[in-house]
Amino acid sequence: MKLFNTKQLAFGGLMAALVFAGTILIRIPTPTKGYIHIGDSLVYLCGLLLGPILGGLAAAIGSLFADIFSSYAIYAPATFLIKGIDALIVGVVFKKIICAPKTFSRKVTAYMLAVLAGGAFMVLGYLAYETVLYGFPVAILGMAPNILQALGGAILAFPLFVFLSEQQIK
C-alpha cells in the first residue's frame, strides 16, 4: 500500500525546500535568541495543500534544516516537532471544517480557524521550549514575536492559499 503518490511526494519535497528558503531568507532576531521569518506562511500552506501527514513532514523537515543551516541548531529538535505539529493541526482542522459544499466563505472560515489553531500551538510550543532553555521570564519575551510571526504568516499565506487551492495537487 502506497501512502503517497509520486506527485504528492515531489510536491512535498518542493514545499519542504520552500519552507527552508522562506525561513532563512529574512531573519529578524528576537529576545529569546530565536528569529522572526516568513517561513510560517509556507508551514501553513504545507498543512493546507498537502494534508496533515505529508504537510506536517514537509514543514518539519524544511524548518529543521533551516535551523541547522542558520546556526540555530539548539532549536532544531523543538522546531521539527513544533512546526510539524503546527502544519498537522492546520491540515486536520481545515479538513474537518471544509466538508462539502466547498464554498469560498467556508474555505475562508476553515482557513482562519486552521491557522489560528496551528499558530496558537506554535506560540505555546516555543513558550514551553524556551522556558526550559532560558526560564519563564525570558520565554515570555518571545511570545510577542511568535504571535507576530503567526499572524504575519497567516496574512502572507492567504492569497497563495486562495490561488493554489484551486489547483489540483492531490
Side-chain angles (χ1 to χ4, degrees), residues 1 14 16-17 27 42 53 68 71 102 113 115 117 128 135 137 143:
M1 177 180 102
L14 173 65
R27 293 177 299 182
L42 296 155
I53 304 300
I68 290 170
S71 301
K102 294 180 182 179
L113 291 173
V115 298
M143 281 188 72

Side-chain angles (χ1 to χ4, degrees), residues 79-156:
T79 293
F80 181 82
L81 291 172
I82 292 168
K83 299 298 183 170
I85 295 171
D86 182 357
L88 180 123
I89 289 170
V90 169
V92 166
V93 170
F94 186 77
K95 281 186 179 248
K96 292 287 184 191
I97 296 171
I98 198 63
C99 311
K102 294 180 182 179
T103 63
F104 182 74
S105 62
R106 180 166 259 184
K107 277 185 179 179
V108 170
T109 301
Y111 174 86
M112 289 175 18
L113 291 173
V115 298
L116 178 66
F121 176 81
M122 184 268 294
V123 170
L124 294 174
Y126 280 115
L127 175 66
Y129 188 68
E130 290 169 348
T131 296
V132 170
L133 289 179
Y134 311 116
F136 188 70
V138 174
I140 283 290
L141 293 175
M143 281 188 72
N146 283 334
I147 291 169
L148 178 66
Q149 182 171 299
L151 292 174
I155 291 166
L156 285 173

Side-chain angles (χ1 to χ4, degrees), residues 20 62 152 160 164:
F20 171 79
L160 291 169
L164 293 173

